[in-house]
Amino acid sequence: MTERANVDLRVNLAGRTLAGPVVAASGTFGFGPEYAGIEDLRVLGGISGKGLTLHGQPGNPGERLLETPAGLMNSIGLQNPGVQHFIDHELPAMKTLGTTVWANLGGHTVEENVEGARLLCEAGIDFLELNISCPNVHGGGMGFGTSCESAAEVTREVRAAVKKPVIVKLTPNVTDIVSIARACEKAGADGLSLINTLLAMRIDPATRRPVLKNLTGGLSGPAVFPVALRMVWQVYEAVHIPIIGIGGGSICITREQKGIGRGQATAVIEVAKARDEYYKETGIYVPICSDGGIVQDYHMTLALAMGSDFIMLGRYFARFDESPTNKVNINGSYMKEYWGEGSARARNWQRYDLGGDKKLSFEEGVDSYVPYAGSLKDNVSLSLSKVRSTMCNCGALTIPELQERGQFIRITGAGLKESHPHDVFITKEAPNYSVNL
């Protein structure tokens, strides 16, 4: 019997060794210190904080969120407390957690991006995601990402100013994303993440005016997934640096975040196959991140077995006692209120304080419910135990061995039904299983 304690979950990304494949996604895990003392956060691959700009900004005024039949439109406008606030009030505690620190940075000018990147990297972050793709800010943001020249310029200047890995986040709102990806690679990007949201508009029939105060917003959701997948494939065929495939946008509580993760199964398998072939030909290994839609514990193992090197989780952590929301009873089932990184409830968080007379004036996301799952400590340990157990069942001690030895077998709908309890009356559900899952 293989010893589970010897299973190695470490992964490598851009030359950095991560303790495991689980990275807490931006906006749903705070900056990390909120959970210190509850669980040993060193088991995580990293913690991604909220998106930042050099000086901070209040975001867009008025209506900023609108649900559509195929997703969600948002016009938040990169509301955030600023780089220096993050460095002074959040980063010191993050650096003591024993895991990698990720920072997402946008800016209105090349100089702002360079200065923000320099401050963040000198302060000790581990990964910098350069956001040149936000469609909801005036000046900068997506403006940098819509031409090869401007994308290359900001990438080149930021790359020259810092020594940390620079991952450039691309916008889909362009004619040829491949050319821009190549320009960023040539300018020195260590990796690419794509895509951000699609620029969209919705009209209120009663007023005959756009619903969003900013007129346009970023569309994310199931309708965006095929576009995202197509662009990831196109860019993968064209560049030789790591690609992190993400959902339709950075807003943290959306239906597509759940659907897009599960829908990526075929994509992960095919991209991993191409990645492995490319590695054999060139010796260059391209890490794959599965981000979004990891709902159940077994989804983690599936994503890793399919070829992902690490995974990002947001919704997973929102289900626990320690998340800063109420546990409520909805139709007889206990649920946790799920805060978006910019929801009305989130503006009660101290970290969003911009100072002055406009303290805690943030409203950037949506509210929802996720199934209550108990304590963080018990669940994280259980989840990792399940990953290790499955690896042992496959005779694997490392993630590469799991990917080599694991097999996927197509089953029928009846077979799927019979993989759950059937033809019995359940008198008591197991604490970690529900017939509704």
Side-chain angles (χ1 to χ4, degrees):
M1 174 65 73
T2 303
E3 290 292 336
R4 297 180 187 178
N6 295 329
V7 174
D8 187 0
L9 295 180
R10 290 175 298 175
V11 295
N12 185 282
L13 178 66
R16 288 298 306 269
T17 298
L18 308 187
V22 178
V23 176
S26 176
T28 58
F29 202 69
F31 286 106
E34 294 90 336
Y35 296 90
I38 299 172
E39 177 59 272
D40 183 1
L41 299 181
R42 292 175 296 178
V43 302
L44 298 176
I47 296 174
S48 181
K50 177 174 170 45
L52 302 166
T53 54
L54 178 60
H55 301 296
Q57 55 194 50
N60 294 329
E63 189 73 31
R64 302 193 291 187
L65 291 169
L66 177 67
E67 187 174 3
T68 73
L72 185 74
M73 288 174 56
N74 86 87
S75 179
I76 306 306
L78 284 180
Q79 185 170 346
N80 75 95
V83 167
Q84 195 60 53
H85 178 98
F86 168 77
I87 292 173
D88 293 340
H89 299 283
E90 312 296 347
L91 184 57
M94 287 187 74
K95 292 167 68 174
T96 68
L97 300 178
T99 188
T100 59
V101 177
W102 299 55
N104 178 289
L105 176 70
H108 297 278
T109 65
V110 172
E111 292 74 21
E112 280 190 13
N113 279 291
V114 169
E115 180 64 12
R118 183 186 65 80
L119 289 173
L120 288 167
C121 292
E122 288 180 355
I125 66 165
D126 298 300
F127 291 88
L128 177 73
E129 183 178 43
L130 183 61
N131 185 0
I132 61 171
S133 58
C134 181
N136 300 318
V137 293
H138 300 287
M142 187 177 72
F144 287 119
T146 54
S147 77
C148 295
E149 292 77 13
S150 59
E153 180 186 10
V154 67
T155 301
R156 185 181 305 110
E157 294 299 321
V158 169
R159 176 66 282 171
V162 303
K163 296 181 179 180
K164 303 293 184 178
V166 176
I167 311 297
V168 182
K169 185 173 184 178
L170 304 183
T171 175
N173 300 296
V174 293
T175 303
D176 183 6
I177 195 171
V178 169
S179 296
I180 294 173
R182 285 173 171 160
C184 292
E185 179 184 33
K186 186 176 181 180
D190 297 288
L192 303 171
S193 60
L194 58 150
I195 59 174
N196 208 318
T197 54
L198 294 168
L199 196 60
M201 177 184 283
R202 188 72 177 269
I203 302 295
D204 184 345
T207 63
R208 296 193 234 179
R209 299 290 302 166
V211 175
L212 299 176
K213 182 72 172 180
N214 193 52
L215 305 183
T216 61
L219 174 66
S220 54
V224 174
F225 172 57
V227 178
L229 181 57
R230 183 263 298 179
M231 289 188 167
V232 168
W233 171 73
Q234 287 179 311
V235 171
Y236 178 82
E237 291 289 307
V239 303
H240 304 96
I241 53 178
I243 299 171
I244 300 177
I246 58 179
S250 300
I251 192 162
C252 58
I253 313 174
T254 53
R255 295 177 300 165
E256 71 276 16
Q257 288 293 341
K258 303 170 187 178
I260 202 168
R262 297 185 193 179
Q264 286 175 335
T266 301
V268 170
I269 293 173
E270 293 180 352
V271 169
K273 180 180 178 181
R275 182 267 312 278
D276 294 341
E277 292 175 353
Y278 180 76
Y279 175 69
K280 291 179 181 178
E281 295 174 1
T282 67
I284 300 174
Y285 185 82
V286 182
I288 297 175
C289 171
S290 182
D291 179 12
I294 308 296
V295 180
Q296 306 301 332
D297 293 333
Y298 71 90
H299 293 158
M300 301 182 193
T301 311
L302 289 177
L304 294 172
M306 289 172 182
S308 296
D309 296 276
F310 68 109
I311 56 180
M312 280 190 174
L313 302 177
R315 178 190 183 277
Y316 173 87
F317 291 105
R319 305 170 300 148
F320 304 139
D321 286 321
E322 294 78 10
S323 66
T325 60
N326 296 318
K327 182 174 74 173
V328 296
N329 190 305
I330 304 296
N331 297 325
S333 298
Y334 284 110
M335 311 289 283
K336 287 285 288 185
E337 296 170 322
Y338 189 8
W339 294 5
E341 64 178 351
S343 68
R345 288 189 178 94
R347 61 183 177 186
N348 292 319
W349 287 41
Q350 184 274 338
R351 68 177 181 274
Y352 290 107
D353 186 356
L354 291 179
D357 297 329
K358 295 184 178 180
K359 291 181 178 291
L360 308 176
S361 57
F362 294 86
E363 188 175 350
E364 304 183 33
V366 296
D367 295 323
S368 66
Y369 296 112
V370 290
Y372 169 66
S375 71
L376 172 69
K377 181 177 181 179
D378 294 339
N379 278 273
V380 170
S381 299
L382 179 62
S383 295
L384 292 179
S385 294
K386 290 180 180 180
V387 174
R388 293 188 180 97
S389 178
T390 303
M391 292 174 68
C392 290
N393 292 150
C394 296
L397 290 177
T398 65
I399 291 175
E401 287 182 358
L402 173 66
Q403 294 167 349
E404 178 182 355
R405 300 177 183 179
Q407 297 183 17
F408 293 90
I409 301 174
R410 188 183 300 274
I411 62 175
T412 65
L416 178 62
K417 179 179 179 181
E418 292 181 357
S419 68
H420 294 270
H422 61 92
D423 299 319
V424 296
F425 293 99
I426 298 178
T427 59
K428 183 179 181 181
E429 290 187 351
N432 60 341
Y433 178 85
S434 172
V435 294
N436 295 318
L437 296 180

